[in-house]
Amino acid sequence: MTGTTLKPDVQVQGPAWDLSDEYPAVTAGEVDADLQALDDLLDRIAAINPRLSAHGETLETLAVADAGDTISSACEVFTLAEQSNRLLGNLSVFASCLLSVDAEDDEAQVLQGRLLGYRKRVAELLQPSQQFLDRASDAVVDAYLDNPTVSASAFSVRHDRQRRHERLTLAEENLIAGLSQDAIHAWGRLYTQLSGTLNCEVMVGNEVQILGIAQASGLMQKPDQRLRHAAWQGINAAWETHQETCAAAINAIAGWRLETVDKRSARQAVHFLDAPLHVNKIRRATLDTLLAVCEASAPVARRAALAMARAGGREKLGPWDLRAPAPQFSSSGEAMPFDEALRLIAEAYAQVHPEMGDFVNMVAERRWIEGTVTHRKRPGAYCTRFPKSRNPRVYMTYTGSSSDVITLAHELGHAFHSWVMRDLPECQRSYGMSLAETASTFGETTVRDALLTRAPDAASRFDIMWEEMAALPTFMLNIPARFSFEKTFYERRAERPLRPNELKEMMAQAWNEWYADSMSEPDPMFWASKLHFYISGLSFYNFPYLFGYLFSTGVYLKRDDFEGDFYSSYVALLRDTGRMTAEQLASEHLQVSLDKPAFWEETIASLESRVARFEAVVAEITEG
Ligand SMILES: [Zn+2]
């Protein structure tokens, strides 16, 4: 089949994956053997820990000359911990793979339950070595990192230690951690509880239905604009009846963070953005530049939103349209068989470099993709990897739509990222959210462009471009609006808690600032309806999305700047994602400075040409 519009088709599905080279079955002796080996490793860590904790409160003043035994104990624990995590990770991935395909797999449930206990034990057993790495002096930690068995962890150890000036005494830290469970985290749990049990009234057709929030929120992905609007109204009305509760929660969560930031500022002023920036390995100057460029380029994203609205026969989008599916312009269409999708992806990947095409074929041949259609499967798509064999797996439900083809390309991008890192030590493999989508966006864009070149008409091109265009207002308007709101909120919360009306006003203002004339009205209750503001473990869970989106798009665009040698730079960049900051990575492998506007401006300029192409397609199908 060559490029008719792709539609889901029940006849089409992907293959089942093969997990048997990891474990023959969840009840197999190999699973018990790994659990036994894990027990042994953890017992050994427990036996070493007393030596590691011997200096307790005096770790800070421990001299290198007296640290020999502590250092060698820490090195032993590091090695044992890597081995334990490999086994624990392997068993966890196995259990969750089985549960994705069949959520009611009792034996996999039992295994997952057992692993919970192991995870808790590992976390407790690693406390003393964590204390050592946090609290010992630079000289002692340098002496520790000189040891060849641990030297690979130097980047992550030194990065974690950058916020040492924030540390309180051990007793104070323990007190804060202990109290946080029934304070900041309790407010987060209250919100989750509320959003899980809250009902709302939605006009569906001619009748009012009582729906849960998640159910109603699902309606906002339906093609019917009136239904989406009704769902949005129902959800917001429900949140309004609980606005005092939500305001109490969001004020308490921010208040707790501001209070701890204040207590941690004795040695050096701490800002509420320090923690989220540090976790994402981005500097403040980079974030400021990124946001400034984004603000200046907001009209580009607004044009995408306006073209999407026109395609739906309206002048502007409403807040209920943000996750709307593409309006349908073509009636005929066939699903793309899985093998054909795979061939297309392999060919598109191979145009970047033959090794990338070979990788896609290898993944298929070794049966690492789960794409069947069954009613017991969990929704969604992901890529994971088994730490023992280091082999990836891709999970999705493949029905042959163009969005499935793009999802497959996206997840294979993640798999490729994992594959090029396979020989690296575990401690160099974990990268933050800001870099996690680099290879997936790359894979996705490569394949979307390949799909576009073979699309026979404007209607098919429109289908393929829809999600790419929807990303612009999401990442470049909605995410910055969330950031603006949260930052202003923290600044004002430092004075006093804010009333629900003030929160609504601030949110409406942030929406108006960013969306301007591209949105029919703001979403004032967004501060209550958006879960991300209530995640007690993480603040500012917004800017990493924007960074990741533009960074990965920028990497894709660099493809043309490198002439023949892009591939080796690309692989080198992916391999360093777990051992460099975002700024180091960009300067080392792309020769760009992320705290200067040029990289971001060029990236957005190229997005603008894609918006212009989309506008032309919309004009063609709506006028034609
Ligand atoms: Zn992804």
Side-chain angles (χ1 to χ4, degrees):
M1 190 199 74
T2 46
T4 41
T5 305
L6 306 170
K7 289 273 179 51
D9 181 332
V10 284
Q11 303 303 313
V12 166
Q13 61 173 332
W17 59 18
D18 180 8
L19 305 174
S20 64
D21 55 350
E22 298 298 334
Y23 300 101
V26 73
T27 48
E30 285 85 344
V31 169
D32 288 328
D34 273 2
L35 286 169
Q36 184 57 54
L38 182 56
D39 275 323
D40 294 345
L41 289 164
L42 297 183
D43 289 346
R44 285 169 66 191
I45 297 178
I48 298 168
N49 271 344
R51 272 158 52 208
L52 195 44
S53 322
H55 294 282
E57 288 282 354
T58 59
L59 256 177
E60 274 97 342
T61 53
L62 181 65
V64 179
D66 303 323
D69 191 45
T70 309
I71 288 174
S72 65
S73 308
C75 290
E76 282 175 61
V77 169
F78 175 85
T79 307
L80 294 168
E82 287 236 309
Q83 291 166 357
S84 313
N85 283 328
R86 195 173 305 134
L87 293 176
L88 184 55
N90 219 64
L91 292 161
S92 304
V93 170
F94 185 59
S96 69
C97 282
L98 293 172
L99 289 168
S100 302
V101 177
D102 179 3
E104 282 159 35
D105 184 331
D106 284 329
E107 283 153 350
Q109 292 278 11
V110 169
L111 175 61
Q112 202 173 46
R114 284 179 77 183
L115 295 174
L116 268 179
Y118 278 97
R119 215 166 286 131
K120 193 160 171 258
R121 183 158 185 236
V122 169
E124 280 165 11
L125 285 171
L126 296 185
Q127 281 291 325
S129 71
Q130 201 54 53
Q131 285 297 330
F132 165 72
L133 294 175
D134 283 350
R135 297 188 166 269
S137 68
D138 284 342
V140 169
V141 171
D142 286 345
Y144 162 81
L145 289 173
D146 278 343
N147 210 299
T149 53
V150 301
S151 58
S153 66
F155 171 76
S156 66
V157 167
R158 293 205 170 104
H159 183 78
D160 288 349
R161 282 169 59 85
Q162 274 172 6
R163 287 171 61 214
R164 284 184 79 220
H165 58 88
E166 295 183 21
R167 299 244 178 281
L168 306 172
T169 66
L170 193 51
E172 287 168 330
E173 290 291 357
N174 287 338
L175 184 65
I176 290 183
L179 291 176
S180 67
Q181 277 311 324
D182 289 317
I184 183 170
H185 298 311
W187 290 105
R189 287 197 302 272
L190 172 72
Y191 179 85
T192 312
Q193 194 81 23
L194 183 58
S195 66
T197 50
L198 192 57
N199 283 326
C200 59
E201 293 181 0
V202 180
M203 194 69 168
V204 181
N206 291 324
E207 55 167 330
V208 173
Q209 289 190 5
I210 310 290
L211 303 172
I213 292 286
Q215 237 179 335
S217 168
L219 295 180
M220 288 206 277
Q221 296 184 55
K222 297 287 179 197
D224 179 358
Q225 197 260 141
R226 272 177 319 178
L227 181 60
R228 292 199 302 271
H229 187 216
W232 178 74
Q233 283 180 317
I235 291 170
N236 279 0
W239 282 117
E240 280 208 68
T241 62
H242 292 277
Q243 62 178 5
E244 291 290 353
T245 310
C246 291
I250 201 170
N251 274 302
I253 289 170
W256 169 277
R257 291 194 180 121
L258 289 166
E259 181 70 20
T260 47
V261 157
D262 190 49
K263 295 276 180 290
R264 294 179 186 285
S265 292
R267 269 170 278 186
Q268 185 181 323
V270 181
H271 191 269
F272 56 75
L273 279 171
D274 289 355
L277 285 165
H278 183 262
V279 170
N280 284 287
K281 304 191 178 79
I282 301 172
R283 287 193 301 118
R284 178 69 188 267
T286 297
L287 178 64
D288 290 345
T289 306
L290 169 63
L291 283 160
V293 173
C294 224
E295 197 180 342
S297 322
V300 177
R302 291 179 199 140
R303 273 170 54 194
L306 288 167
M308 290 170 71
R310 280 198 301 281
R314 285 177 310 131
E315 207 188 317
K316 293 174 181 187
L317 293 183
W320 51 89
D321 294 324
L322 299 179
R323 289 181 297 133
Q328 291 298 305
F329 290 100
S330 52
S331 50
S332 68
E334 288 169 54
M336 187 185 276
F338 181 82
D339 288 347
E340 192 180 333
L342 200 82
R343 202 158 49 237
L344 178 114
I345 295 169
E347 276 167 22
Y349 270 47
Q351 293 207 331
V352 182
H353 194 277
E355 275 179 26
M356 284 182 71
D358 294 345
F359 170 75
V360 171
N361 289 323
M362 177 193 71
V363 168
E365 274 153 28
R366 298 183 70 171
R367 299 181 56 207
W368 288 345
I369 303 171
E370 166 56 49
T372 58
V373 180
T374 73
H375 66 280
R376 303 172 80 96
K377 277 176 81 168
R378 286 187 180 162
Y382 65 79
C383 171
T384 186
R385 111 188 213 284
F386 285 97
K388 276 171 74 181
S389 64
R390 297 165 179 243
N391 292 337
R393 290 295 188 286
V394 163
Y395 175 88
M396 69 177 296
T397 297
Y398 184 87
T399 62
S401 69
S402 52
S403 116
D404 284 348
V405 177
I406 289 165
T407 299
L408 180 58
H410 178 103
E411 299 307 333
L412 283 167
H414 281 304
F416 182 73
H417 193 169
S418 158
W419 185 249
V420 298
M421 293 176 98
R422 68 191 180 284
D423 60 322
L424 298 178
E426 283 304 315
C427 59
Q428 294 184 358
R429 294 192 46 110
S430 73
Y431 39 80
M433 185 186 162
S434 55
L435 298 172
E437 296 302 328
T438 309
S440 54
T441 305
F442 188 92
E444 181 182 328
T445 316
T446 305
V447 169
R448 187 179 280 114
D449 286 354
L451 278 170
L452 275 175
T453 55
R454 41 180 268 163
D457 52 32
S460 338
R461 282 198 295 279
F462 174 80
D463 269 358
I464 296 162
M465 293 166 91
W466 178 262
E467 277 175 50
E468 184 185 30
M469 285 300 116
L472 270 101
T474 299
F475 290 111
M476 291 176 60
L477 302 176
N478 195 281
I479 296 289
R482 293 184 206 180
F483 177 83
S484 292
F485 164 82
E486 194 164 358
K487 184 159 173 283
T488 313
F489 170 53
Y490 272 70
E491 283 157 6
R492 292 182 57 186
R493 175 64 185 85
E495 307 283 319
R496 62 170 171 83
L498 292 159
R499 301 289 305 138
N501 276 338
E502 294 174 308
L503 293 164
K504 282 191 227 177
E505 230 167 80
M506 277 165 53
M507 185 54 88
Q509 205 181 338
W511 272 60
N512 289 335
E513 251 170 50
W514 284 92
Y515 282 103
D517 60 352
S518 67
M519 189 62 71
S520 61
E521 60 187 279
D523 190 357
M525 285 307 290
F526 198 56
W527 63 272
S529 63
K530 195 74 213 168
L531 155 97
H532 291 61
F533 297 123
Y534 298 84
I535 300 175
S536 58
L538 285 165
S539 62
F540 289 87
Y541 197 15
N542 35 54
F543 70 79
Y545 285 107
L546 169 64
F547 179 94
Y549 169 67
L550 286 178
F551 181 74
S552 54
T553 308
V555 171
Y556 178 78
L557 296 168
K558 284 281 161 191
R559 217 178 124 172
D560 303 328
D561 293 5
F562 278 74
E563 318 220 318
D565 202 28
F566 173 76
Y567 181 70
S568 56
S569 299
Y570 178 55
V571 169
L573 180 147
L574 292 179
R575 282 174 62 81
D576 282 342
T577 44
R579 55 188 179 195
M580 281 188 190
T581 65
E583 288 87 0
Q584 286 173 320
L585 206 61
S587 104
E588 188 99 356
H589 299 296
L590 305 173
Q591 287 80 51
V592 296
S593 307
L594 297 183
D595 57 357
K596 302 281 184 312
F599 172 76
W600 307 110
E601 284 168 354
E602 282 166 29
T603 302
I604 294 172
S606 84
L607 284 171
E608 183 176 12
S609 61
R610 287 172 181 254
V611 171
R613 187 174 58 177
F614 181 67
E615 288 170 330
V617 167
V618 169
E620 197 179 326
I621 51 178
T622 52
E623 287 155 21

